[in-house]
Amino acid sequence: WGGVSIACVLMVAIYSMGGISGANFNPAVSMTLGISKAMGGPGLDWKTVGIYCGVQSAAGVAAALCYSALFGESFNLAPAKGFAWYHAGLCELLYTLMLCFVVMNVAAAKKNVQEKNQYYGLAIGFVIIAGAYGAGAVSGGCFNPAVALGIDVSSAGLGFGWCGPYILFELAGAALAAVLFKVVRPEDFECEKTATTELVSEFLGTYILVLTVGLNVLGKSKAAAFSIAASLTSMIYALGDVSGAHFNPAVTVAILASGRCPDLTPAKAGTFMGAQIAGGIAAAFTYAFIYQGSTFALGPVGDFTWAGVS
C-alpha cells in the first residue's frame, strides 16, 4: 500500500492547500510552470519558481531527516539491483513528465481553471499510483527532485550522489512536459488547435497506458490492475477535452460505429488508430529497453485456448 499511501497524501495536500500556493510540492512541477510561462502560457514567474524550489527542497531534506530519526535508520537512493543509471533515469524522466503534464492539463490549463473542475487532485494523485507500482521497481519512484535530494541526504552514510542524475532526469521530464502541454493546448499560448494536436494527445495517452502495463507486468507488481487503471484515469482527465481520450483503437471503432460523435469521420478515426498503435509500439520498445530486452508474450494463459480468449 506504499504507493497508495503516498498518492493519497499528495491528493489531500493538493485539495487542502491548492488555493493557497498552487500546491506544487515538487520542484519539477514548479519548473514546468516556469517554462510554460516563459513560452507565453499559464504558469509562474522565475522568481516564484526559484523560491518554491528552494522551499520544497528544504522541506524534502527536513522530512527525510525526520523519518530517519523516527526509525533510527534510512534507505539509500539508487537504481534497483540489475538496472543501470540510464534505466532508472528513463523511468524518472517519463513518470515525472507524466506527473507535470497531468498537473498542467488539469490544474493550469485555462479551460479547466475557468470551469473549476473538482477532479484535479484525484488525477494528479493517481499518477503516483501509476508510477510507483510500474517504475518504482526500477528507480524507487521519486518523480520529485525534493524527494530524491531528501532521501540521498538522509542516507549519506550509506552513499551519496545519486540525487544528481535523478534530479537531472526529473527536470528533463519537467521541460518535456511543458513543451508537450503547449503542443496539446496551443490555444493557451495564443495559437490555433490543429489535427496534429489531437493525434499527439492520442499517442501520449496510449503510450503512457501501454508503458504502465509493461512495467507492471515485468516488475511483477501486485497492484498492476490498480496502477494501469490509475494511469488511464489520469490521462483521460488530462486529455479528454483535447481528443476525447480514446487511447484504444477498439474505443475509436466503437465511437465511430455509434455515430454519436459527428466530428469523428472514418478518415479521422483511421488517423486516431494509427497514432494509438504508434504509441503502443513505442511504449513496448521503451519497457523492453528498461528491462534490458526482457518482455512477455501475448496469448492465452495457462490451459485456456484462443476460443476462450475470444
Side-chain angles (χ1 to χ4, degrees), residues 228-250:
I228 295 163
S231 73
L232 180 59
T233 301
S234 293
M235 295 305 286
I236 287 174
Y237 278 133
L239 296 170
D241 61 340
V242 176
S243 66
H246 301 182
F247 309 151
N248 185 333

Side-chain angles (χ1 to χ4, degrees), residues 202 246-257 264 269-270 272-273 276:
E202 289 297 311
H246 301 182
F247 309 151
N248 185 333
V251 172
T252 300
V253 170
I255 294 174
L256 176 65
L264 186 66
F272 269 33
M273 288 188 281
Q276 293 155 1

Side-chain angles (χ1 to χ4, degrees), residues 4 22 29 41 60 66 69 83 102 122 130 132 169 176 194 200 206 210 214 240 251 267 294:
V4 177
V29 171
C66 283
F83 295 96
V102 170
L122 178 65
F169 277 104
L176 284 172
T194 66
V200 172
T206 310
V210 176
V251 172
S294 295

Side-chain angles (χ1 to χ4, degrees), residues 6-271:
I6 297 166
C8 288
V9 167
L10 176 60
M11 179 178 66
V12 170
I14 288 172
Y15 281 128
S16 299
M17 292 177 276
I20 299 172
S21 67
N24 292 188
F25 308 144
N26 186 333
V29 171
S30 297
M31 285 295 296
T32 302
L33 286 162
I35 295 170
S36 174
K37 181 79 170 180
M39 293 191 297
L44 299 173
D45 62 84
W46 286 116
K47 179 180 178 181
T48 303
V49 170
I51 294 171
Y52 273 26
C53 288
V55 171
Q56 293 154 358
S57 298
V61 172
L65 293 176
C66 283
Y67 70 64
S68 298
L70 179 64
F71 287 98
E73 61 180 348
S74 188
F75 55 94
N76 208 5
L77 178 70
K81 185 177 180 180
F83 295 96
W85 63 270
Y86 46 85
H87 299 131
L90 184 57
C91 286
E92 290 296 312
L93 185 154
L94 290 171
Y95 281 93
T96 303
L97 185 160
M98 180 189 178
L99 176 61
C100 296
F101 183 76
V102 170
V103 169
M104 294 303 296
N105 279 280
V106 302
K110 293 177 181 178
K111 180 180 179 182
N112 284 324
V113 170
Q114 292 169 356
E115 294 178 355
K116 297 181 179 180
N117 75 72
Q118 297 299 305
Y119 55 74
Y120 62 94
L122 178 65
I124 297 166
F126 267 27
V127 174
I128 304 305
I129 294 174
Y133 295 108
V138 179
S139 69
C142 296
F143 320 137
N144 184 332
V147 172
L149 179 63
I151 293 173
D152 217 14
V153 169
S154 69
S155 63
L158 302 174
F160 180 83
W162 275 109
C163 66
Y166 269 59
I167 289 172
L168 288 176
F169 277 104
E170 290 157 358
L171 294 180
L176 284 172
V179 173
L180 290 172
F181 174 65
K182 182 175 182 179
V183 172
V184 299
R185 294 191 185 271
E187 62 274 17
D188 280 30
F189 296 81
E190 307 302 328
C191 299
E192 293 185 7
K193 183 178 179 179
T194 66
T196 303
T197 300
E198 295 182 330
L199 295 181
V200 172
S201 170
E202 289 297 311
F203 177 92
L204 287 174
T206 310
Y207 177 86
I208 291 294
L209 174 60
V210 176
L211 176 67
T212 305
V213 169
L215 291 178
N216 272 276
V217 172
L218 292 171
K220 297 179 174 57
S221 168
K222 295 182 179 179
F226 193 10
S227 176
I228 295 163
S231 73
L232 180 59
T233 301
S234 293
M235 295 305 286
I236 287 174
Y237 278 133
L239 296 170
D241 61 340
V242 176
S243 66
H246 301 182
F247 309 151
N248 185 333
V251 172
T252 300
V253 170
I255 294 174
L256 176 65
S258 73
R260 300 178 71 87
C261 183
D263 292 337
L264 186 66
T265 63
K268 185 176 182 179
T271 61

